[in-house]
């Protein structure tokens, strides 16, 4: 097995590597297949028996070692199938894939037919089994009925849809029996003929599906016909294995089957890679809409499970989806046909694309799957799909589907799906005539049939009717005389043209979406060695900049897609291409991008959201048609071999035992073309393997070690036995890195034996799952690290350091990815699945136990959590916080309808409250429940890994998330409001009628009247988002109308977020500035107990409303200690304007609330107040405080009088208009029915002036007003021309932005 045969040296350039025959071994007889689950309630004809590889040629190929167990398992995934003469015995064709050790795929094509069983022992054994089965069912039908129910339930939970035999899946219901009275599944050796399935298989390096199907069909026809084939079958098999090469890229090749030539073609280096599986069938099975949705799931690396009775449908859809991913490649588990022995891989907590065969008539609801939270379930036979929740749509999906529909309709394919893929009647007639041509050519037509055909030909000629194929019958069917193409060739050409046009439409979409991806690739390393050594720490793609450059409709999809492993691998290949030869798919894609740029009139059009249709459909189809019309190469014809006479005698209906000695080796004089191609192929393979070994560390990044079908150097069926691979090359020279790794990989391959797939003991399965555990822990570490680093990086930007590298869209994507990870962790190793969300099911069972009174008293953990936020120091009542309480919050949200949605909402709420790790720890502390729900090897029962997992989640408490508040925007939330007066200076209560209005980023509450003598209240309101402002006021009624308020505190009763709105001002007429209402700016309060830990790591607090010390009156600023100097004031103005500019440079969804930047403690209003206060004369007039608004009103009166007197008529026209505007705004503010006070009026004037771009025009008016000399000192900043000009220039920078004011600020202003 390990030594290559003489004929195997040229294997890389050969069309086929192996020819395999599988079936029943007459020497060992009937062996039940334990892996498929024995069901004695079924008739013996319906049970599953072991098949074996009866022969394979050659013995071994150096480039692709033969794995007998894997090939047998995939050739007959359901084992042997038996039939009688009463059953249908139509041949079947399907395909499968094997992933080789270097990650490349090997394709298998299987032709299954039924052959009469001639072994008397097997027939007798089947007769005995049937008699025993019949006796059991007739003797105790009632008992057997209950036993059958129990057995069926057990089988369903263990192997489910892989438990039945091939007949149930492949064969239609048997026809009604005749008058003999036989029942379904009956067998009588004396009366019935027994047939067993046999498989002919070709294993090839490339997916030439049509060519292999035609060759195998001709091979079967040769033994099914009444006459022997022209040559022994060994001649045709030998010719295909050793004398037919792979067609060169961009060329076509013709070789000869048993009866007719076969043509195949291979795309050129600049074309899309070979894909021979009929995409039209995949679209017709699912429909365009459904297939695009499944394709999107594949791009986002979700778990995809295909479900069908037909093996070929599974492979067709799976290959169709992965083919359409160009230029990206599926990086995870890929098993289009999941054999019974690998059924436990459905428990794998990693992305996968698998195909599962269904029983005939199986109800989808009875199919128990380990996890469904992130699963895309594709029911091919019923033409329907089930998608995960929170599923982003593919960009321009409607236009995309419309273009695909047009392509399908041009080829006569129904785009809606659900139509069975079957040939047309005309095609069937052509096939029938074609078979007659073959029979005539081979001499298989009798004299009577030949006479009938001759009369048919004469009649057609006499009447002038042209019947396709009849002329060929008359000429004896000479191939050289046949005009045009055969029906099979026409079908292949049609499929090939449809395939390439559909693929071009998909490729065109990626070319349009990623036309400028190269501009965002970060080339950080100087050489390959340093890049490999620092791969995990490096950012290879500027995701934030890329997303900010994309059209808004693309963002939901792209933000998820650029986080996938397939995109990371694509970018890594791009970076490595500066040191190594470009990966083929990347080379083709880059050429297309460059061509798109050349043909585009202007580059920005490539990034627009306008849908761009594919323009090269016709050229792509013509290239394929030209290759198939004009044959470039013809292989050697089959010929007689040096065979032993007497062996392999022809018997109709029986495939002969082929002579192994003539098929074990190829010809000694291999043609020079094959040798030359083999040398070049070996050189390319060495280079490719070299590149793959270098990139292994990157390929395994954030993936489950040992669980990647394509990236691992171990096949997927050897996961159970493989030792861990080296993840990172040692930090030596480049050659040393490669040499050491390649030596380790080679030694690993030699030491591993090919396992018996039936040897899947519980210990081996547990070893597989242990690798899943390690992979989940690594993925958790990588995700939490990414979330933490990116979030803290953004906070550094808010503090003025660096540039932002994460957007809210990216943050939401990362959190959604964390939710998916937690669902996969909770789905791993489940004993019994009880719902679509394993996490929510666990929480519900925990809740049920905790709600019992006797257990609630014994729960020490939950009692400790109840007091977490009890000490706020702001007069708020206790906020009960516990896992159960948060669950109840989620359960009360009527907007969430599904278990998966509730689980994700609970995760987001816990993360926002910084309780995720603590809640999960509390959940897992109930070890009895965990043991009840999970198997021993499950992740949640691995103590050390579980502790590390909780620690990684605990690290997320270092930053603030609003992932619950920002996502569930329509839910009703209870808010608790407390008004805290300054009791030492005033009465705690007021006799007037107070009111409050709370506003947030998502809206406002509206004016809520506060009952008299009540300082706190609770109200329900639709989610306001992050709270920004509170308007507080009263109607000034009663004897004690004056009210000195310290602050207002508002708490979100679900998230626990508490906001403090400082006031420190009077509300009342004749006190302070006479205001009856104030707008307060909030700040988020850190819960007690967290302040010390959060000082260095939490999100910077929001700006708050100005305090009493600064704004109580001008006279309070007379103290030198409280007066800022001119430099500080200028700096404050510059910082305030700069913050507003940065606000508008963020994406619209990231900007937050502008009111904070205008009216907050360090806002623009505050800074301009300090400017106007500087040098202000603070003389009291009859003990009355003077405010800046007093100066503004006097200036307005002067300007208004001067305008009426005509003093401003000689002034320049703009100055006159400015004066009029200024007076109009001041009058409008004074005329507002609101009692906002003098400081509030000044604040409103600044906000309106900033909004309408008038502030730089108003300031010169105030400077030129004569009142300035009486109200300001000579050294005041307002009297310094240079300072004033500098202020005007700074304020003019705001003219570039459209400032929108909250309705609460400008309510009642009529301009």
């Amino acid at each position: 097995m390990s030594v290559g045969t003489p004929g195997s040296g040229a294997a890389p350039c050969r069309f086929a590597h192996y020819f395999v025959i599988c079936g029943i071994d007459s020497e060992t007889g009937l062996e039940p297949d334990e892996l498929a689950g024995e069901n004695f309630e079924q008739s013996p004809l319906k049970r599953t028996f072991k098949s074996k590889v009866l022969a394979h040629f050659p013995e071994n190929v150096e480039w692709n070692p033969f794995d007998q167990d894997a090939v047998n398992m995939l050739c007959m995934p359901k084992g042997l199938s038996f039939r009688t003469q009463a059953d249908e015995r139509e041949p079947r064709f399907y395909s499968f894939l094997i992933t080789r050790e270097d990650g490349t795929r090997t394709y298998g094509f299987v032709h299954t037919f039924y052959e009469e069983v001639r072994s008397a022992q097997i027939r007798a054994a089947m007769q005995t089994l049937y008699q025993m089965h019949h006796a059991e069912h007739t003797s105790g039908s009632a008992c057997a009925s209950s036993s059958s129910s129990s057995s069926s339930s057990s089988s369903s939970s263990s192997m489910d849809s892989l438990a039945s035999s091939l007949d149930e899946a492949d064969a239609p219901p048997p026809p009604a029996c005749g008058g003999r009275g036989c029942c379904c599944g009956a067998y009588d050796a004396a009366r019935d003929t027994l047939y067993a399935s046999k498989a002919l298989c070709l294993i090839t390096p490339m997916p030439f599906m049509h060519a292999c199907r035609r060759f195998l069909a001709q091979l079967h026809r040769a033994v099914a016909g009444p006459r022997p084939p022209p040559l022994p079958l060994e001649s045709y098999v030998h010719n295909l294995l050793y004398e037919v090469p792979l067609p060169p890229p961009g060329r076509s090749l013709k070789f000869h089957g048993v009866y007719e030539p076969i043509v195949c073609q291979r795309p050129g280096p600049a074309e899309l890679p070979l894909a021979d599986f009929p995409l039209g069938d995949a679209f017709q099975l699912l429909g365009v809409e459904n297939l695009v949705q499944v394709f999107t799931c594949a791009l986002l690396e979700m778990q995809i499970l295909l479900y069908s009775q037909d093996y070929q449908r599974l492979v067709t859809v799976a290959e169709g989806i992965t083919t359409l991913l160009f230029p990206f490649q599926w990086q995870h588990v890929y098993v289009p046909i999941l054999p019974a022995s690998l059924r436990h891989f459905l428990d794998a907590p990693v992305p996968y694309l698998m195909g599962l065969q269904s029983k005939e008539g199986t109800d989808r609801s009875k199919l128990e799957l380990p996890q469904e939270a992130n699963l895309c379930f594709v029911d091919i036979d019923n033409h329907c799909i089930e998608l995960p929740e929170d599923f982003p749509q593919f960009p321009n999906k409607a236009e995309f589907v419309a273009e695909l529909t047009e392509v399908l309709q041009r080829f006569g394919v129904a785009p809606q799906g659900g139509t069975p893929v079957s040939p047309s009647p005309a095609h069937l007639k052509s096939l029938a005539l074609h078979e007659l041509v073959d029979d005539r050519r081979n001499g298989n037509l009798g004299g009577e049939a030949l006479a009938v055909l001759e009369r048919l030909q004469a009649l057609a000629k006499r009447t002038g009717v042209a019947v396709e194929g009849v002329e060929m019958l008359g000429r004896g069917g000479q191939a050289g005389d046949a005009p045009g193409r055969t029906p099979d060739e026409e079908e292949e050409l049609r499929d090939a043209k449809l395939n390439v046009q559909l693929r071009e439409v998909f490729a065109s979409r990626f070319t349009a979406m990623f036309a400028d991806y190269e501009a965002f690739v970060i080339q950080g390393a100087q050489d390959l060695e340093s890049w490999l050594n620092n791969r995990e720490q490096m950012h290879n793609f500027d995701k934030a900049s890329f997303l900010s450059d994309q059209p808004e409709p693309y963002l939901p999809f792209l933000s998820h897609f650029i986080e996938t492993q397939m995109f990371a691998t694509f970018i890594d290949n791009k970076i490595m291409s500066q040191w190594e030869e470009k990966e083929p798919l990347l080379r083709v894609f880059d050429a297309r991008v460059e061509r798109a740029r050349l043909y585009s009139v202007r580059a920005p059009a490539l990034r627009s959201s306008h849908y761009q249709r594919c323009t090269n459909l016709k050229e792509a189809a013509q290239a394929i048609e030209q290759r198939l019309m004009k044959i470039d190469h013809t292989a050697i014809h089959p010929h007689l071999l040096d065979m032993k006479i007497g062996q392999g005698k022809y018997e109709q209906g029986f495939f002969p035992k082929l002579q192994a000695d003539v098929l074990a080796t190829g010809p000694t004089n291999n043609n020079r073309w094959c040798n030359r191609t083999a040398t070049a192929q070996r050189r390319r393979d060495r280079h490719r393997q070299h590149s793959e070994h270098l990139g292994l560390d990157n390929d395994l990044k954030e993936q489950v070690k040992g669980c990647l079908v394509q990236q691992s150097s171990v096949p997927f069926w050897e996961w159970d036995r493989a030792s861990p691979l080296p993840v990172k090359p040692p930090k030596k020279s480049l050659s040393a890195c490669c040499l050491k790794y390649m030596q380790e990989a080679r030694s690993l391959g030699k030491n591993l034996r090919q396992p018996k797939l039936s040897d899947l003991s519980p210990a081996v399965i547990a070893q597989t799952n242990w690798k899943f555990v390690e992979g989940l822990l690594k993925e958790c570490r990588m995700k939490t690290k990414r979330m933490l680093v990116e979030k803290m990086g953004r906070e550094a930007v808010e503090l003025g350091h660096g540039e932002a590298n994460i957007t809210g869209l990216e943050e939401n994507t990362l959190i959604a990815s964390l939710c998916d990870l937690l669902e996969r962790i909770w789905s791993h190793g489940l004993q019994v699945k009880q719902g679509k969300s394993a996490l929510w099911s666990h929480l519900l069972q925990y809740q049920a136990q905790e709600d019992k009174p006797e257990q609630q008293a014994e729960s020490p953990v939950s009692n400790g959590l109840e007091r977490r936020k009890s000490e706020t120091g702001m007069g708020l009542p206790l906020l009960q916080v516990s896992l159960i309480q948060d669950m109840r919050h989620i359960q009360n949200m009527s907007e969430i309808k599904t278990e998966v949605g509730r689980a994700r909402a609970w995760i987001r709420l816990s993360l926002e409250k910084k309780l995720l790790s603590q809640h999960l720890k509390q959940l897992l502390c109930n070890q009895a429940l965990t043991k009840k729900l999970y198997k021993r090897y499950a992740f949640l029962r691995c103590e050390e890994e579980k502790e590390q997992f909780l620690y990684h989640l605990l690290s997320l408490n270092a930053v603030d998330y609003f992932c619950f508040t920002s996502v569930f925007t329509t839910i009703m939330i209870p808010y608790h409001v407390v008004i805290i007066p300054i009791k030492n200076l005033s009465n705690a209560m007021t006799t007037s009628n107070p009111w409050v209005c709370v506003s947030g980023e998502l809206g406002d509450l509206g004016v809520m009247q506060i009952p008299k003598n009540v300082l706190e209240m609770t109200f329900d309101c639709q989610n306001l988002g992050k709270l920004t402002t509170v308007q507080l006021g009263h109607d000034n009624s009663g004897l004690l109308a004056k009210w000195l308020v310290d602050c207002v505190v508002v708490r979100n009763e679900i998230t626990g977020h508490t906001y403090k709105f400082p006031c420190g001002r009077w509300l009342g007429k004749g006190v302070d500035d006479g205001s009856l209402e104030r707008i307060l700016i909030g700040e988020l309060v850190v819960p007690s107990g967290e302040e010390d830990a959060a000082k260095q790591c939490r999100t910077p607090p929001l700006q708050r409303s100005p305090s009493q010390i600064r704004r109580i009156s001008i006279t309070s600023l007379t103290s030198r200690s409280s007066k800022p100097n001119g430099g500080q004031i200028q700096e404050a103005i510059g910082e305030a304007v700069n913050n507003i500019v940065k606000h508008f440079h963020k994406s619209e969804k990231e900007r937050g609330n502008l009111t904070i930047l205008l009216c907050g403690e360090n806002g623009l209003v505050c800074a301009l107040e300090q400017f106007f206060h500087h040098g202000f004369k603070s003389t009291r007039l009859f003990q009355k405080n003077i405010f800046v608004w007093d100066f503004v009103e006097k200036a307005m009166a002067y300007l208004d009088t001067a305008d009426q007197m005509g003093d401003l008529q000689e002034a320049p026209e703009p100055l006159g208009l400015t004066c009029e505007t200024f007076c109009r705004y001041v009058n409008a503010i004074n005329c507002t029915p609101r009692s906002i006070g003098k400081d509030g009026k000044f604040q409103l004037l600044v906000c309106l002036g900033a909004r309408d771009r008038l502030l730089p025009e108003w300031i010169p008016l105030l400077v030129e007003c004569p009142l300035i000399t009486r109200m300001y000192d000579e050294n005041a900043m307002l009297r310094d021309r240079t300072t004033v000009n500098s202020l005007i220039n700074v304020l003019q920078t705001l003219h570039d932005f459209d400032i929108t004011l909250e309705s609460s600020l400008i309510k009642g202003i009529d301009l």
Side-chain angles (χ1 to χ4, degrees), residues 272-347:
L272 296 174
L274 176 66
D276 207 27
F277 291 88
L279 283 175
D281 290 0
F283 276 91
Q284 200 161 12
L285 286 167
L286 292 180
V288 180
E289 181 87 16
N290 284 345
L291 194 136
V292 169
Q293 296 286 61
V294 178
F295 168 74
T296 308
C297 288
L299 285 172
L300 301 180
E301 295 184 340
M302 298 178 176
Q303 293 177 328
I304 302 175
L305 182 62
L306 310 178
Y307 194 62
S308 173
Q309 295 184 48
D310 188 271
Y311 290 133
Q312 186 59 17
R313 288 183 173 185
L314 294 174
V315 178
T316 297
V317 174
E319 277 294 287
I321 292 170
T322 55
T323 297
L324 296 173
L325 294 176
F326 169 88
F328 309 101
Q329 293 175 288
W330 182 256
Q331 301 292 318
H332 302 279
V333 179
Y334 183 68
V335 190
I337 298 177
L338 184 65
S341 58
L342 300 180
R343 174 65 189 273
H344 62 282
F345 280 176
L346 287 176
D347 195 33

Side-chain angles (χ1 to χ4, degrees), residues 279-511:
L279 283 175
D281 290 0
F283 276 91
Q284 200 161 12
L285 286 167
L286 292 180
V288 180
E289 181 87 16
N290 284 345
L291 194 136
V292 169
Q293 296 286 61
V294 178
F295 168 74
T296 308
C297 288
L299 285 172
L300 301 180
E301 295 184 340
M302 298 178 176
Q303 293 177 328
I304 302 175
L305 182 62
L306 310 178
Y307 194 62
S308 173
Q309 295 184 48
D310 188 271
Y311 290 133
Q312 186 59 17
R313 288 183 173 185
L314 294 174
V315 178
T316 297
V317 174
E319 277 294 287
I321 292 170
T322 55
T323 297
L324 296 173
L325 294 176
F326 169 88
F328 309 101
Q329 293 175 288
W330 182 256
Q331 301 292 318
H332 302 279
V333 179
Y334 183 68
V335 190
I337 298 177
L338 184 65
S341 58
L342 300 180
R343 174 65 189 273
H344 62 282
F345 280 176
L346 287 176
D347 195 33
V350 295
Y352 60 68
L353 201 169
M354 299 193 197
L356 183 65
Q357 194 194 30
S358 62
K359 300 177 186 177
E360 185 178 1
T362 300
D363 187 3
R364 159 70 179 97
S365 61
K366 296 180 180 178
L367 180 63
E368 291 293 334
L369 299 171
Q371 48 190 324
E372 297 185 53
N374 197 37
L375 177 71
C376 173
F377 183 84
V378 184
D379 190 344
I380 299 176
D381 298 336
N382 293 318
H383 326 291
C384 62
I385 60 175
E386 299 174 17
L387 294 171
E389 296 185 24
D390 301 328
F391 180 72
Q393 297 297 324
F394 192 75
N396 297 117
K397 180 188 164 190
E399 297 91 339
F400 186 45
V401 168
E403 185 176 10
L404 292 171
T405 300
E406 290 181 16
V407 174
L408 291 169
Q409 289 176 338
R410 282 200 295 268
F411 287 85
V413 178
Q416 69 274 13
T419 306
V421 182
S422 57
S424 63
H427 181 63
L428 292 176
K429 293 177 182 177
S430 299
L431 289 178
L433 285 172
H434 187 56
E435 291 179 359
L436 290 177
V437 172
D438 291 335
D439 290 339
R440 172 64 185 267
R441 181 192 298 120
N442 300 325
N444 293 336
L445 291 178
E448 183 178 350
L450 186 58
V452 170
L453 288 173
E454 289 175 348
R455 288 198 298 273
L456 176 62
Q457 179 196 10
L459 178 63
K461 185 175 181 180
R462 187 168 59 252
T463 58
V465 177
V467 181
E468 182 183 359
V470 173
E471 291 79 2
M472 293 183 65
L473 289 170
R475 293 195 297 267
Q478 298 299 321
D481 299 331
R485 292 182 289 270
T486 66
D488 281 343
E489 291 172 343
E490 287 288 352
E491 181 184 5
E492 290 177 24
L493 176 59
R494 170 187 172 278
D495 286 346
K497 292 168 70 174
L498 177 58
N499 271 17
V500 74
Q501 291 198 8
L502 289 171
R503 296 173 66 202
E504 286 290 348
V505 174
F506 280 83
S508 174
R509 293 306 308 130
F510 285 123
T511 303

